């Protein structure tokens, strides 16, 4: 039962990542409004990436900017907080490959024999 739940969660996370990756990678487009250029990505139908067949209100552009700032701020704060607590943010530190209890052999290096 526990293994089935882990597989289901893994598949859901894979589906969520695939959707996010495709939404941000496959649908970037540009809006030119009042001399400003707004670049963002989300699925849309019609138009091209340089001239999408949809528009956004100023409130929607502000929401996009705030959400982008929020994601960066939360990730930075989480990384800093975890670093101050002594925990890694992305990867756990690994132990060294050599065993601590077995001493390593020391080989004496010398020059090759001369004729």
């Amino acid at each position: 039962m526990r293994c089935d739940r882990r597989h289901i969660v893994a598949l859901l996370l894979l589906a969520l990542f695939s959707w996010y990756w495709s939404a941000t990678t496959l649908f970037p487009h540009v809006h030119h409004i009042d001399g400003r250029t707004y670049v963002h990505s989300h699925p849309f139908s019609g138009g091209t990436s340089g001239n999408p067949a949809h528009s956004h209100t100023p409130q929607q552009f502000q929401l996009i900017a705030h959400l982008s700032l929020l994601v960066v701020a939360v990730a930075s704060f989480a990384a800093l907080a975890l670093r101050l607590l002594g925990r890694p943010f992305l990867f756990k530190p690994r132990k060294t490959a050599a065993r601590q209890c077995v001493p390593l052999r020391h080989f004496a290096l010398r020059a090759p024999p001369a004729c």
Side-chain angles (χ1 to χ4, degrees):
M1 178 70 179
R2 183 173 181 214
C3 188
D4 291 339
R5 186 180 307 157
R6 288 181 64 189
H7 286 284
I8 291 171
V9 169
L11 288 174
L12 288 175
L13 286 174
L14 180 63
L16 178 67
F17 174 77
S18 299
W19 177 83
Y20 176 76
W21 179 84
S22 63
T24 58
T25 304
L26 301 176
F27 301 103
H29 56 280
V30 177
H31 296 280
H32 300 285
I33 299 173
D34 296 333
R36 293 187 178 192
T37 302
Y38 296 92
V39 179
H40 66 282
S41 62
H42 59 82
F44 67 95
S45 61
T48 63
S49 63
N51 186 17
H54 71 280
S55 63
H56 298 285
T57 65
Q59 291 83 12
Q60 290 173 335
F61 280 121
Q62 189 174 18
L63 177 65
I64 290 169
H66 285 164
L67 288 176
S68 298
L69 179 63
L70 178 68
V71 167
V72 170
V74 167
S76 300
F77 178 74
L80 178 65
L82 289 173
R83 180 72 175 157
L84 291 176
L85 291 173
R87 296 183 179 181
F89 182 61
L90 293 177
F91 303 108
K92 293 181 181 179
R94 295 183 178 219
K95 294 182 180 179
T96 57
R99 294 186 212 163
Q100 299 298 329
C101 60
V102 178
L104 295 175
R105 286 194 239 168
H106 296 282
F107 295 100
L109 297 178
R110 62 184 182 102
C115 294

